[in-house]
Amino acid sequence: MYSPIRSPEAPGPEVEGRRGEGVGKSETSNPSSFEAPLRPKRQQVARACDSEIDRLKQKVRELEGQLEKERTKSSLVSTSIPPQPLALTPPSSDSTPTPDSVGVSHNVVGSQTVWGGVMTSTGQSSRKTWYGPSSLFYFINRMNTYLSAIFQQLHPDDLIQLKSVAKTFATPDCNLAEDDDKADVKDASQTVSNEAYLTPTQEEYFLNLYWQSYHPTLAILDETEFKRHYRSLATKPGQPRKPSPLADIVIAVGMQVGMAAAQRNSSRALPATEVGKDDPSIAGRLYYRRCQRLLYNEQEAPTLMTVQCHILSGMYTCFAAFQNMCHIALSLAARSAHTIGLHVEPPSDLPIATKELHRRVWWTLYAFESKVCMKLGRPFYTDADPTSCELLAHDHEVASLAGSDFARLDEHATWLTYSLYQATLAQAARRVHTAFYDRYSDFYSGTTGQVIYDDPAALEQYAEFLSTIMKPLDDWAKSVPDALKMKRSGDGRSFSTDRSPIVVEQFVPLWLQRQRLLLELIYHVMKSNLYRPFICFPSTVTESPPLGHTCLSHAASAAEHCITLTQIFHHIVTNTDLLVGWHEAFQWQWNCALTLAGYLFACPTSDIAPSVRESIDLSIVVFEDFGRSFGTSLSAATLIRDLAIKIDFLAEIVRGSNPQTATPPSAQDAATDQFATEVELVPSANDVPFTQDLFTGSMDMSMAYSVDNSGDLDMLWPPIGNAGDQWWVYTQPPGPSGFGGGFPG
């Protein structure tokens, strides 16, 4: 891909500059005198104290009344449904809540039962935000509740969250949450010295990176028109150009990929703990900030450029892992697009090139916003089908007018064909997603348990329903032209889970290789996310709930798509530079790695469990490779290693409690290298009571029932990577992927 060499004047992360010292500091003054103030009359003090005592007594009476009401409610609930602790023995009653029903529930709106979400903190601030049932955070919440139950240790959601810049800073500007009341943060008009920005030569370097990398997969700009606009910003030689929100955000996105490539090629190792101001994912933050300041003035009269800037701002914040900021940026893009009429057919008097640019911007926004909303489990802002804006054209005439010069693919495909199939993939996935979640109340009424996972019969019917509505995605995969398909070896098929190795053609332009790769990766992510709700965690360590065949099949399908995605990632990062600096692709691998881990917790003895376990090791290799570019990925590798230890430990407990599934000693020895585990040192279920003897500081799990959401728990279960050796009584030999050899630091 790119191998930027940093010359003495080349921009580094330090090019962002520093904030002006002394800005926003509160002024203080010394008291003019240390003399004690005159004492008020004692009679006034007594009267004031009497009033305060009366007020506090009244407040106590009110609180006691509220407490009595809560006790009455609890008494009524306890007489109808006796509370039962989460135990490691089979439940004695069908009404016993399962781990899946703790912390997640449904909402009743009118006569309909709506699948509820989860409130959890995912950023630097402790404030919680909402994520729906299709989100990874909802799945993490379910998985953590299960781990809390079986280990009898509270396992809050933030224990499985990445060490990203979004967890370090409140904004890409590197502001801290406690800085909210400082003047320099609130003052959006604060100027930054010109020396903090790049020189014209350096800006051109990162602009060229943008055209080589993101432009072919995000065709929302006319390259020729943009370059004309950029030249118009020039002033006198040696003077900085005039500000432009579009030029600024394009440079900012180019710097994200460029500085990641520079970090990868640097001889300086990136420590796992280094996720700070120099992180490549927030390179260009001064340009991003200036773009946002300029966009503020365009809210009342937005233009096409305004929409383009909001889309690119969504990209920038997504790549930096500020997911809520990304979601908000896309909502602004959607509302601005509605304001200028991009969601309807362009006016007939516009030139064909302008009409098609309008369509490309709208459908690219539709695809991007749909993907983010499904990922977060939140409502859509772009119009649902049907829309009066026709799908974008991709013929050779339109491609020749689009402002970029790319080679023709074949008679029917051009560089714009990717944009069309990206949009139709989003259409198909969104159609399935909407139909699936809108029909929740048709299958689960809320009378059994707290969530559909408490009703296996309803869950199986819901799974069967999903099978009937997946056709749009299957039809889409069949419709993709050969020019956009990633080749497979032998008889392997593209967009399948047959696990056939991919083939990256050698003499194919990088932009086309990346288009093929991204199209297949997005497809597997979307299908995996649709199947993931059927990964159901058992009520106990050794017993699974009575799940139906279709439910189990969908859970396996989610894992199969993640296996395929991980194998593709592993091949790409170990053989090419196609995804260097591609931060969103890293997020897809993280999503799939956690899905694979959850599947093994839920189905440790399934037929595909060995392949899933092997894919988890492959994902660690992928994270280590991405970690050469930015520290967040090294955090992901550490977290997945910790989960792998727990997976192996629980798998041995399950095998120890079920002799029929136990692996013979000889086979166990042969599997040691594959799974990086010395199973003979793992204690059996009979030897390991889940008490304070194994998990120091454990607590009675009945306390969990006093909390509505496991994300609200204040007690932390220390991650295994930070625990002492006495927590675990087995060791790991170093594996081929670096997995093993003790606990990560």
Side-chain angles (χ1 to χ4, degrees):
M1 188 177 157
Y2 322 112
S3 300
I5 300 176
R6 294 171 60 184
S7 60
E9 70 277 8
E14 64 275 6
V15 80
E16 301 297 342
R18 300 179 178 175
R19 299 186 180 279
E21 296 182 359
V23 178
K25 293 183 180 179
S26 60
E27 296 180 0
T28 60
S29 59
N30 295 325
S32 58
S33 172
F34 288 97
E35 296 179 359
L38 294 176
R39 294 183 179 179
K41 296 180 180 180
R42 185 175 299 277
Q43 183 180 4
Q44 293 175 333
V45 174
R47 188 180 300 114
C49 290
D50 290 341
S51 298
E52 181 65 14
I53 290 172
D54 290 340
R55 189 186 69 81
L56 292 175
K57 286 181 177 180
Q58 178 63 27
K59 186 65 176 178
V60 169
R61 286 193 292 270
E62 292 175 0
L63 293 175
E64 287 177 342
Q66 294 176 11
L67 181 60
E68 185 62 30
K69 290 180 181 179
E70 293 299 323
R71 286 173 177 169
T72 302
K73 289 181 182 179
S74 300
S75 176
L76 292 174
V77 172
S78 63
T79 57
S80 58
I81 302 178
Q84 300 187 24
L86 286 173
L88 295 175
T89 56
S92 58
S93 169
D94 292 338
S95 64
T96 302
T98 65
D100 267 319
S101 66
V102 179
V104 293
S105 62
H106 64 268
N107 299 322
V108 178
V109 180
S111 60
Q112 284 195 332
T113 302
V114 180
W115 201 342
V118 60
M119 293 290 296
T120 186
S121 175
T122 57
Q124 197 268 341
S125 170
S126 60
R127 293 187 290 271
K128 292 177 171 57
T129 47
W130 187 88
Y131 297 90
S134 65
S135 68
L136 177 63
F137 296 109
Y138 184 92
F139 184 72
I140 290 174
N141 180 275
R142 291 175 52 216
M143 181 165 63
N144 280 338
T145 303
Y146 170 68
L147 295 178
S148 297
I150 59 173
F151 287 133
Q152 299 204 9
Q153 281 284 333
L154 298 181
H155 200 270
D157 293 346
D158 57 4
L159 202 59
I160 308 181
Q161 287 193 17
L162 294 172
K163 188 185 295 183
S164 65
V165 289
K167 293 291 288 185
T168 306
F169 303 111
T171 70
D173 285 346
C174 300
N175 296 326
L176 300 172
E178 55 266 26
D179 292 339
D180 286 347
D181 58 348
K182 291 185 179 180
D184 64 330
V185 177
K186 287 186 173 182
D187 186 9
S189 63
Q190 179 186 355
T191 60
V192 179
S193 65
N194 291 328
E195 289 78 10
Y197 293 100
L198 304 177
T199 66
T201 303
Q202 292 169 335
E203 285 191 351
E204 183 176 353
Y205 172 81
F206 288 110
L207 287 173
N208 287 336
L209 279 184
Y210 177 85
W211 301 122
Q212 297 168 22
S213 57
Y214 289 114
H215 177 59
T217 59
L218 194 85
I220 63 172
L221 300 178
D222 183 310
E223 184 178 355
T224 301
E225 288 297 324
F226 176 90
K227 290 180 176 179
R228 184 180 296 115
H229 166 71
Y230 184 77
R231 287 195 296 270
S232 72
L233 302 175
T235 56
K236 295 181 180 179
Q239 297 296 317
R241 64 169 171 82
K242 292 180 289 187
S244 161
L246 185 60
D248 285 348
I249 195 62
V250 172
I251 292 171
V253 173
M255 290 182 71
Q256 281 181 315
V257 63
M259 296 313 300
Q263 175 63 52
R264 181 183 179 87
N265 297 325
S266 173
S267 59
R268 184 176 66 89
L270 188 69
T273 57
E274 187 175 334
V275 185
K277 294 184 178 181
D278 291 340
D279 194 87
S281 64
I282 52 172
R285 59 185 176 273
L286 290 184
Y287 284 94
Y288 165 80
R289 181 186 181 189
R290 187 167 67 178
C291 170
Q292 305 312 302
R293 188 170 68 247
L294 295 171
L295 286 178
Y296 180 81
N297 299 323
E298 299 183 7
Q299 292 183 87
E300 184 58 30
T303 63
L304 178 65
M305 185 181 294
T306 308
V307 180
Q308 294 167 328
C309 288
H310 283 310
I311 294 174
L312 289 167
S313 297
M315 281 184 58
Y316 183 88
T317 49
C318 174
F319 298 163
F322 289 90
Q323 298 302 325
N324 291 328
M325 293 183 69
C326 169
H327 187 215
I328 292 170
L330 292 178
S331 70
L332 292 173
R335 292 303 184 232
S336 299
H338 292 151
T339 302
I340 64 175
L342 285 187
H343 60 299
V344 298
E345 269 294 280
S348 58
D349 58 342
L350 289 179
I352 184 172
T354 305
K355 286 182 181 180
E356 288 302 326
L357 178 61
H358 283 200
R359 292 190 181 107
R360 286 198 302 276
V361 171
W362 169 254
W363 283 109
T364 301
L365 170 60
Y366 176 93
F368 190 9
E369 196 258 352
S370 298
K371 181 175 59 177
V372 169
C373 289
M374 288 186 287
K375 176 178 70 174
L376 302 180
R378 295 173 182 166
F380 303 103
Y381 278 93
T382 48
D383 291 347
D385 294 338
T387 177
S388 58
C389 181
E390 294 182 1
L391 283 169
L392 56 94
H394 64 108
D395 56 77
H396 291 288
E397 178 185 0
V398 170
S400 65
L401 297 173
S404 297
D405 186 17
F406 291 103
R408 297 187 177 188
L409 302 185
D410 59 29
E411 183 180 356
H412 304 290
T414 66
W415 74 279
L416 295 178
T417 304
Y418 170 88
S419 297
L420 172 65
Y421 279 89
Q422 176 183 244
T424 53
L425 173 58
Q427 272 188 315
R430 181 163 156 176
R431 189 175 301 127
V432 177
H433 174 96
T434 302
F436 178 68
Y437 288 99
D438 283 355
R439 294 288 298 275
Y440 179 76
S441 62
D442 293 351
F443 299 94
Y444 181 65
S445 62
T447 57
T448 304
Q450 302 178 40
V451 76
I452 195 170
Y453 298 107
D454 296 328
D455 191 341
L459 189 66
E460 177 67 9
Q461 293 175 359
Y462 204 24
E464 292 171 353
F465 171 69
L466 179 61
S467 299
T468 66
I469 60 174
M470 289 295 270
K471 191 174 184 297
L473 276 170
D474 298 332
D475 290 343
W476 177 89
K478 297 175 183 177
S479 71
V480 178
D482 290 339
L484 286 180
K485 288 182 179 179
M486 180 70 68
K487 304 298 185 292
R488 302 287 188 94
S489 63
D491 297 328
R493 295 179 294 108
S494 301
F495 303 106
S496 73
T497 56
D498 59 15
R499 305 188 192 176
S500 56
I502 63 170
V503 176
V504 180
E505 296 183 61
Q506 183 177 3
F507 302 111
V508 171
L510 292 178
W511 63 266
L512 179 56
Q513 291 182 8
R514 197 174 287 113
Q515 283 186 346
R516 292 173 175 176
L517 173 62
L518 295 178
L519 208 57
E520 176 141 352
L521 291 177
I522 297 172
Y523 171 80
H524 289 298
V525 169
M526 289 184 170
K527 291 211 74 170
S528 172
N529 288 350
L530 285 167
Y531 284 125
R532 185 169 59 198
F534 295 98
I535 298 178
C536 305
F537 299 101
S539 304
T540 68
V541 174
T542 58
E543 289 201 5
S544 299
L547 299 175
H549 170 76
T550 308
C551 180
L552 293 172
S553 175
H554 287 350
S557 294
E560 286 284 6
H561 282 282
C562 288
I563 290 173
T564 300
L565 180 139
T566 302
Q567 290 178 339
I568 293 175
F569 263 115
H570 184 264
H571 179 89
I572 291 297
V573 302
T574 55
N575 293 281
T576 76
D577 289 336
L578 284 174
L579 294 179
V580 173
W582 218 269
H583 302 284
E584 189 183 18
F586 154 75
Q587 295 169 10
W588 297 338
Q589 177 65 85
W590 171 245
N591 178 81
C592 281
L594 287 184
T595 302
L596 292 171
Y599 179 82
L600 282 185
F601 283 130
C603 308
T605 60
S606 73
D607 293 340
I608 65 171
S611 298
V612 174
R613 181 63 184 83
E614 183 178 5
S615 292
I616 288 178
D617 283 346
L618 291 181
S619 73
I620 295 172
V621 177
V622 174
F623 291 138
E624 289 173 341
D625 188 87
F626 273 114
R628 296 167 57 191
S629 299
F630 57 108
T632 299
S633 191
L634 297 179
S635 164
T638 299
L639 288 170
I640 296 301
R641 285 193 190 96
D642 287 347
L643 285 178
I645 294 173
K646 299 170 189 175
I647 288 168
D648 294 340
F649 183 79
L650 291 179
E652 288 307 315
I653 292 178
V654 173
R655 283 193 283 267
S657 64
N658 187 357
Q660 294 180 352
T661 62
T663 308
S666 59
Q668 288 178 344
D669 294 339
T672 298
D673 290 339
Q674 181 180 2
F675 301 122
T677 305
E678 290 184 359
V679 296
E680 66 271 305
L681 296 179
V682 179
S684 68
N686 296 328
D687 297 330
V688 184
F690 286 86
T691 64
Q692 286 185 334
D693 293 337
L694 179 60
F695 299 100
T696 58
S698 66
M699 60 175 291
D700 185 353
M701 280 305 297
S702 62
M703 290 182 62
Y705 287 92
S706 65
V707 184
D708 292 333
N709 187 310
S710 64
D712 294 332
L713 305 177
D714 294 326
M715 297 184 63
L716 299 180
W717 178 25
I720 293 177
N722 298 328
D725 292 340
Q726 70 273 12
W727 278 52
W728 300 95
V729 287
Y730 74 107
T731 59
Q732 294 178 279
S737 66
F739 173 69
F743 302 110

